[in-house]
Every structure is written in C-alpha cells, then in structure tokens.
Short mmCIF file of all heavy atoms in Angstrom, two decimals:
data_model
loop_
_atom_site.label_atom_id
_atom_site.label_comp_id
_atom_site.label_asym_id
_atom_site.label_seq_id
_atom_site.Cartn_x
_atom_site.Cartn_y
_atom_site.Cartn_z
N GLU A 1 76.69 120.97 96.79
CA GLU A 1 75.39 120.72 96.18
C GLU A 1 75.24 119.23 95.86
O GLU A 1 76.19 118.61 95.40
CB GLU A 1 75.27 121.53 94.88
CG GLU A 1 73.95 121.40 94.19
CD GLU A 1 73.88 122.21 92.90
OE1 GLU A 1 74.68 123.15 92.73
OE2 GLU A 1 73.03 121.85 92.08
N THR A 2 74.08 118.68 96.12
CA THR A 2 73.82 117.29 95.76
C THR A 2 72.63 117.27 94.82
O THR A 2 71.79 118.13 94.83
CB THR A 2 73.51 116.42 97.00
OG1 THR A 2 72.35 116.93 97.65
CG2 THR A 2 74.67 116.40 97.97
N ARG A 3 72.64 116.24 93.97
CA ARG A 3 71.55 116.04 93.01
C ARG A 3 71.12 114.58 93.06
O ARG A 3 71.93 113.71 93.29
CB ARG A 3 72.01 116.34 91.59
CG ARG A 3 72.40 117.75 91.37
CD ARG A 3 72.82 117.98 89.92
NE ARG A 3 73.33 119.35 89.81
CZ ARG A 3 74.29 119.69 89.02
NH1 ARG A 3 74.89 118.82 88.26
NH2 ARG A 3 74.69 120.94 88.97
N GLU A 4 69.87 114.38 92.78
CA GLU A 4 69.35 113.00 92.70
C GLU A 4 69.05 112.72 91.26
O GLU A 4 68.51 113.55 90.56
CB GLU A 4 68.07 112.91 93.54
CG GLU A 4 67.66 111.48 93.80
CD GLU A 4 66.51 111.42 94.80
OE1 GLU A 4 66.58 112.12 95.82
OE2 GLU A 4 65.57 110.66 94.53
N ARG A 5 69.47 111.53 90.79
CA ARG A 5 69.27 111.15 89.38
C ARG A 5 68.65 109.78 89.29
O ARG A 5 68.98 108.89 90.07
CB ARG A 5 70.64 111.04 88.70
CG ARG A 5 71.03 112.23 87.96
CD ARG A 5 72.14 111.82 87.05
NE ARG A 5 73.28 112.72 87.28
CZ ARG A 5 74.41 112.64 86.64
NH1 ARG A 5 74.62 111.70 85.76
NH2 ARG A 5 75.34 113.49 86.86
N LEU A 6 67.82 109.62 88.31
CA LEU A 6 67.28 108.29 88.02
C LEU A 6 67.85 107.91 86.66
O LEU A 6 67.70 108.62 85.68
CB LEU A 6 65.74 108.37 87.93
CG LEU A 6 65.03 107.08 87.55
CD1 LEU A 6 65.27 106.01 88.60
CD2 LEU A 6 63.55 107.36 87.41
N ILE A 7 68.59 106.80 86.63
CA ILE A 7 69.18 106.36 85.36
C ILE A 7 68.72 104.96 85.01
O ILE A 7 68.42 104.15 85.90
CB ILE A 7 70.73 106.42 85.39
CG1 ILE A 7 71.28 105.48 86.48
CG2 ILE A 7 71.22 107.81 85.57
CD1 ILE A 7 72.76 105.27 86.39
N LYS A 8 68.70 104.69 83.74
CA LYS A 8 68.36 103.37 83.26
C LYS A 8 69.61 102.84 82.54
O LYS A 8 70.16 103.52 81.70
CB LYS A 8 67.21 103.48 82.26
CG LYS A 8 66.65 102.17 81.78
CD LYS A 8 65.58 102.44 80.73
CE LYS A 8 64.34 101.69 81.05
NZ LYS A 8 63.31 101.91 80.04
N GLN A 9 70.08 101.64 82.93
CA GLN A 9 71.24 101.08 82.27
C GLN A 9 71.09 99.57 82.16
O GLN A 9 70.28 98.96 82.88
CB GLN A 9 72.52 101.45 83.02
CG GLN A 9 72.61 100.97 84.43
CD GLN A 9 73.82 101.51 85.16
OE1 GLN A 9 73.80 101.54 86.36
NE2 GLN A 9 74.87 101.90 84.52
N ILE A 10 71.83 99.02 81.23
CA ILE A 10 71.79 97.59 81.01
C ILE A 10 72.46 96.88 82.18
O ILE A 10 73.57 97.25 82.58
CB ILE A 10 72.51 97.26 79.68
CG1 ILE A 10 71.76 97.90 78.52
CG2 ILE A 10 72.62 95.75 79.50
CD1 ILE A 10 72.51 97.85 77.21
N ALA A 11 71.79 95.89 82.72
CA ALA A 11 72.37 95.11 83.83
C ALA A 11 73.47 94.20 83.27
O ALA A 11 73.29 93.54 82.26
CB ALA A 11 71.28 94.27 84.49
N ARG A 12 74.63 94.23 83.92
CA ARG A 12 75.76 93.43 83.51
C ARG A 12 76.06 92.37 84.55
O ARG A 12 75.87 92.59 85.73
CB ARG A 12 76.99 94.31 83.31
CG ARG A 12 76.76 95.35 82.26
CD ARG A 12 77.93 96.27 82.15
NE ARG A 12 77.59 97.35 81.25
CZ ARG A 12 78.16 98.53 81.26
NH1 ARG A 12 79.08 98.79 82.17
NH2 ARG A 12 77.80 99.43 80.40
N ASN A 13 76.58 91.25 84.09
CA ASN A 13 76.94 90.17 85.00
C ASN A 13 78.40 90.37 85.40
O ASN A 13 79.30 90.12 84.63
CB ASN A 13 76.72 88.82 84.33
CG ASN A 13 76.90 87.67 85.29
OD1 ASN A 13 77.68 87.75 86.24
ND2 ASN A 13 76.18 86.60 85.04
N ARG A 14 78.62 90.81 86.63
CA ARG A 14 79.98 91.06 87.14
C ARG A 14 80.83 89.79 87.14
O ARG A 14 82.04 89.86 87.05
CB ARG A 14 79.93 91.67 88.50
CG ARG A 14 79.37 93.08 88.51
CD ARG A 14 79.39 93.64 89.94
NE ARG A 14 78.76 94.93 90.01
CZ ARG A 14 79.41 96.06 89.85
NH1 ARG A 14 80.69 96.08 89.58
NH2 ARG A 14 78.75 97.23 89.93
N LYS A 15 80.18 88.63 87.26
CA LYS A 15 80.95 87.37 87.26
C LYS A 15 81.62 87.14 85.93
O LYS A 15 82.73 86.61 85.87
CB LYS A 15 80.03 86.22 87.63
CG LYS A 15 79.60 86.20 89.08
CD LYS A 15 78.70 85.04 89.40
CE LYS A 15 78.28 85.11 90.88
NZ LYS A 15 77.38 84.04 91.22
N PHE A 16 80.99 87.53 84.83
CA PHE A 16 81.60 87.40 83.51
C PHE A 16 82.84 88.28 83.42
O PHE A 16 83.88 87.85 82.94
CB PHE A 16 80.64 87.81 82.40
CG PHE A 16 79.49 86.85 82.16
CD1 PHE A 16 78.32 87.30 81.56
CD2 PHE A 16 79.53 85.52 82.55
CE1 PHE A 16 77.26 86.47 81.32
CE2 PHE A 16 78.47 84.68 82.35
CZ PHE A 16 77.34 85.14 81.71
N ALA A 17 82.72 89.51 83.90
CA ALA A 17 83.86 90.44 83.87
C ALA A 17 85.01 89.91 84.69
O ALA A 17 86.17 89.93 84.25
CB ALA A 17 83.43 91.83 84.36
N GLU A 18 84.73 89.43 85.87
CA GLU A 18 85.78 88.88 86.75
C GLU A 18 86.42 87.65 86.10
O GLU A 18 87.63 87.48 86.16
CB GLU A 18 85.20 88.56 88.12
CG GLU A 18 86.26 88.26 89.15
CD GLU A 18 87.31 89.39 89.34
OE1 GLU A 18 86.96 90.57 89.23
OE2 GLU A 18 88.47 89.04 89.57
N TYR A 19 85.61 86.81 85.48
CA TYR A 19 86.12 85.63 84.80
C TYR A 19 87.13 86.01 83.71
O TYR A 19 88.21 85.43 83.62
CB TYR A 19 84.96 84.81 84.19
CG TYR A 19 85.41 83.76 83.25
CD1 TYR A 19 85.97 82.55 83.66
CD2 TYR A 19 85.27 83.96 81.85
CE1 TYR A 19 86.40 81.60 82.75
CE2 TYR A 19 85.69 82.99 80.95
CZ TYR A 19 86.26 81.82 81.41
OH TYR A 19 86.70 80.88 80.51
N ILE A 20 86.78 86.99 82.89
CA ILE A 20 87.64 87.43 81.78
C ILE A 20 88.95 87.98 82.33
O ILE A 20 90.04 87.69 81.79
CB ILE A 20 86.94 88.50 80.90
CG1 ILE A 20 85.82 87.83 80.10
CG2 ILE A 20 87.88 89.25 79.99
CD1 ILE A 20 86.28 86.74 79.13
N LYS A 21 88.88 88.80 83.38
CA LYS A 21 90.10 89.35 83.96
C LYS A 21 91.01 88.26 84.54
O LYS A 21 92.20 88.25 84.29
CB LYS A 21 89.75 90.41 84.99
CG LYS A 21 89.10 91.65 84.35
CD LYS A 21 88.87 92.77 85.33
CE LYS A 21 87.58 92.60 86.06
NZ LYS A 21 87.29 93.78 86.93
N GLN A 22 90.41 87.35 85.29
CA GLN A 22 91.21 86.26 85.88
C GLN A 22 91.79 85.35 84.81
O GLN A 22 92.96 84.96 84.91
CB GLN A 22 90.35 85.44 86.84
CG GLN A 22 90.06 86.15 88.12
CD GLN A 22 89.17 85.32 89.05
OE1 GLN A 22 88.75 84.24 88.74
NE2 GLN A 22 88.87 85.89 90.21
N LYS A 23 91.01 85.04 83.79
CA LYS A 23 91.48 84.19 82.69
C LYS A 23 92.73 84.76 82.00
O LYS A 23 93.59 84.02 81.59
CB LYS A 23 90.35 84.06 81.67
CG LYS A 23 90.68 83.21 80.45
CD LYS A 23 89.49 83.19 79.49
CE LYS A 23 89.96 82.76 78.13
NZ LYS A 23 89.10 83.22 77.06
N ASN A 24 92.80 86.08 81.97
CA ASN A 24 93.93 86.76 81.30
C ASN A 24 94.96 87.26 82.30
O ASN A 24 95.82 88.08 81.95
CB ASN A 24 93.41 87.91 80.45
CG ASN A 24 92.65 87.38 79.24
OD1 ASN A 24 93.23 86.87 78.33
ND2 ASN A 24 91.32 87.50 79.29
N ASN A 25 94.87 86.82 83.55
CA ASN A 25 95.78 87.26 84.61
C ASN A 25 95.82 88.78 84.70
O ASN A 25 96.87 89.36 84.99
CB ASN A 25 97.19 86.70 84.41
CG ASN A 25 97.21 85.21 84.56
OD1 ASN A 25 96.60 84.66 85.48
ND2 ASN A 25 97.93 84.54 83.66
N TYR A 26 94.71 89.42 84.41
CA TYR A 26 94.55 90.91 84.50
C TYR A 26 95.49 91.63 83.54
O TYR A 26 95.69 92.83 83.68
CB TYR A 26 94.76 91.36 85.95
CG TYR A 26 93.70 90.85 86.88
CD1 TYR A 26 93.81 89.57 87.44
CD2 TYR A 26 92.59 91.60 87.21
CE1 TYR A 26 92.82 89.08 88.30
CE2 TYR A 26 91.60 91.11 88.07
CZ TYR A 26 91.74 89.86 88.59
OH TYR A 26 90.77 89.37 89.45
N LYS A 27 96.03 90.95 82.56
CA LYS A 27 96.94 91.55 81.59
C LYS A 27 96.14 92.09 80.39
O LYS A 27 95.25 91.43 79.89
CB LYS A 27 97.95 90.50 81.13
CG LYS A 27 99.07 91.03 80.29
CD LYS A 27 100.11 89.96 80.05
CE LYS A 27 101.29 90.55 79.37
NZ LYS A 27 102.42 89.65 79.34
N CYS A 28 96.52 93.28 79.92
CA CYS A 28 95.82 93.90 78.81
C CYS A 28 95.98 93.12 77.53
O CYS A 28 97.11 92.83 77.13
CB CYS A 28 96.28 95.34 78.62
SG CYS A 28 95.41 96.21 77.30
N GLU A 29 94.86 92.79 76.88
CA GLU A 29 94.90 92.02 75.64
C GLU A 29 95.31 92.86 74.43
O GLU A 29 95.61 92.30 73.38
CB GLU A 29 93.54 91.37 75.40
CG GLU A 29 93.23 90.29 76.42
CD GLU A 29 91.93 89.58 76.10
OE1 GLU A 29 91.78 89.04 74.98
OE2 GLU A 29 91.06 89.58 76.99
N LEU A 30 95.36 94.18 74.57
CA LEU A 30 95.75 95.03 73.44
C LEU A 30 97.22 95.43 73.52
O LEU A 30 97.96 95.25 72.57
CB LEU A 30 94.87 96.27 73.33
CG LEU A 30 93.45 96.01 72.90
CD1 LEU A 30 92.68 97.33 72.77
CD2 LEU A 30 93.38 95.25 71.59
N CYS A 31 97.65 95.94 74.66
CA CYS A 31 99.01 96.44 74.76
C CYS A 31 99.96 95.52 75.55
O CYS A 31 101.16 95.71 75.54
CB CYS A 31 99.06 97.86 75.38
SG CYS A 31 98.73 97.91 77.13
N GLY A 32 99.39 94.54 76.24
CA GLY A 32 100.20 93.59 76.99
C GLY A 32 100.63 94.09 78.37
O GLY A 32 101.41 93.43 79.05
N ARG A 33 100.15 95.27 78.76
CA ARG A 33 100.52 95.85 80.05
C ARG A 33 100.02 94.97 81.20
O ARG A 33 98.89 94.51 81.20
CB ARG A 33 99.91 97.24 80.19
CG ARG A 33 100.33 97.98 81.46
CD ARG A 33 99.75 99.39 81.50
NE ARG A 33 100.39 100.19 80.45
CZ ARG A 33 99.78 101.13 79.77
NH1 ARG A 33 98.53 101.42 79.99
NH2 ARG A 33 100.43 101.81 78.85
N ASN A 34 100.91 94.76 82.19
CA ASN A 34 100.51 94.05 83.39
C ASN A 34 99.67 94.98 84.27
O ASN A 34 99.81 96.19 84.20
CB ASN A 34 101.72 93.59 84.16
CG ASN A 34 102.39 92.39 83.50
OD1 ASN A 34 101.74 91.45 83.07
ND2 ASN A 34 103.70 92.44 83.37
N PRO A 35 98.83 94.41 85.12
CA PRO A 35 97.97 95.24 85.95
C PRO A 35 98.78 95.95 87.04
O PRO A 35 99.85 95.51 87.41
CB PRO A 35 97.01 94.23 86.58
CG PRO A 35 97.80 92.98 86.65
CD PRO A 35 98.64 92.98 85.40
N PHE A 36 98.23 97.05 87.52
CA PHE A 36 98.83 97.66 88.73
C PHE A 36 98.08 97.07 89.91
O PHE A 36 96.98 96.54 89.78
CB PHE A 36 98.76 99.19 88.69
CG PHE A 36 97.39 99.81 88.75
CD1 PHE A 36 96.76 100.00 89.98
CD2 PHE A 36 96.73 100.20 87.60
CE1 PHE A 36 95.51 100.57 90.06
CE2 PHE A 36 95.47 100.77 87.67
CZ PHE A 36 94.86 100.97 88.91
N ILE A 37 98.68 97.15 91.07
CA ILE A 37 98.09 96.63 92.28
C ILE A 37 97.37 97.76 93.04
O ILE A 37 97.96 98.81 93.29
CB ILE A 37 99.14 95.96 93.19
CG1 ILE A 37 99.87 94.84 92.42
CG2 ILE A 37 98.49 95.38 94.45
CD1 ILE A 37 98.98 93.75 91.82
N GLN A 38 96.12 97.53 93.34
CA GLN A 38 95.31 98.52 94.04
C GLN A 38 95.65 98.58 95.53
O GLN A 38 96.36 97.69 96.04
CB GLN A 38 93.82 98.16 93.91
CG GLN A 38 93.34 98.05 92.47
CD GLN A 38 91.93 97.55 92.42
OE1 GLN A 38 91.00 98.32 92.65
NE2 GLN A 38 91.74 96.27 92.14
N ARG A 39 95.16 99.58 96.18
CA ARG A 39 95.40 99.72 97.66
C ARG A 39 94.91 98.48 98.41
O ARG A 39 95.45 98.16 99.46
CB ARG A 39 94.68 100.96 98.18
CG ARG A 39 95.30 102.24 97.72
CD ARG A 39 94.59 103.43 98.32
NE ARG A 39 95.17 104.62 97.75
CZ ARG A 39 94.47 105.68 97.40
NH1 ARG A 39 93.18 105.73 97.60
NH2 ARG A 39 95.06 106.72 96.85
N ASN A 40 93.86 97.82 97.90
CA ASN A 40 93.33 96.64 98.58
C ASN A 40 94.16 95.38 98.29
O ASN A 40 93.83 94.29 98.74
CB ASN A 40 91.87 96.40 98.20
CG ASN A 40 91.66 96.09 96.74
OD1 ASN A 40 92.59 95.83 95.99
ND2 ASN A 40 90.42 96.11 96.30
N GLY A 41 95.24 95.54 97.52
CA GLY A 41 96.15 94.41 97.24
C GLY A 41 95.77 93.60 96.02
O GLY A 41 96.48 92.68 95.65
N ARG A 42 94.65 93.95 95.36
CA ARG A 42 94.20 93.19 94.18
C ARG A 42 94.67 93.85 92.89
O ARG A 42 94.79 95.06 92.81
CB ARG A 42 92.68 93.09 94.19
CG ARG A 42 92.16 92.34 95.42
CD ARG A 42 90.71 91.98 95.30
NE ARG A 42 90.55 91.09 94.16
CZ ARG A 42 89.47 91.07 93.39
NH1 ARG A 42 88.48 91.88 93.61
NH2 ARG A 42 89.40 90.26 92.35
N PRO A 43 94.93 93.05 91.85
CA PRO A 43 95.30 93.62 90.55
C PRO A 43 94.11 94.35 89.92
O PRO A 43 92.97 93.99 90.18
CB PRO A 43 95.69 92.41 89.72
CG PRO A 43 95.01 91.25 90.35
CD PRO A 43 94.85 91.59 91.80
N TYR A 44 94.42 95.39 89.12
CA TYR A 44 93.37 96.18 88.47
C TYR A 44 93.40 96.01 86.96
O TYR A 44 94.45 96.15 86.34
CB TYR A 44 93.50 97.66 88.81
CG TYR A 44 92.37 98.46 88.22
CD1 TYR A 44 91.18 98.59 88.89
CD2 TYR A 44 92.49 99.04 86.96
CE1 TYR A 44 90.11 99.31 88.34
CE2 TYR A 44 91.44 99.76 86.39
CZ TYR A 44 90.24 99.86 87.08
OH TYR A 44 89.21 100.57 86.55
#
C-alpha cells in the first residue's frame, strides 16, 4: 500500500549541518564516540 502525504516543515540549511560535523571530525560532542563509516565510505 502507498500513501501520499503533504507535510510542512522548517527548511534547514544542510551546509550548516555539514560544517558542524566536519568541524568536530564527526565525533559526538556528548559521549565522545567516533563516527562509524557508512557503505559509501563517509563517516556518519
């Protein structure tokens, strides 16, 4: 079964998110965990 939905959400700037992740080397600021590597070879 498929459904069609109309949603309204706040537009986010993906460049800000990427900047924050790169600035912190993708390391968690709360627990200090290093990122895992995704199938595409990039850190998550």
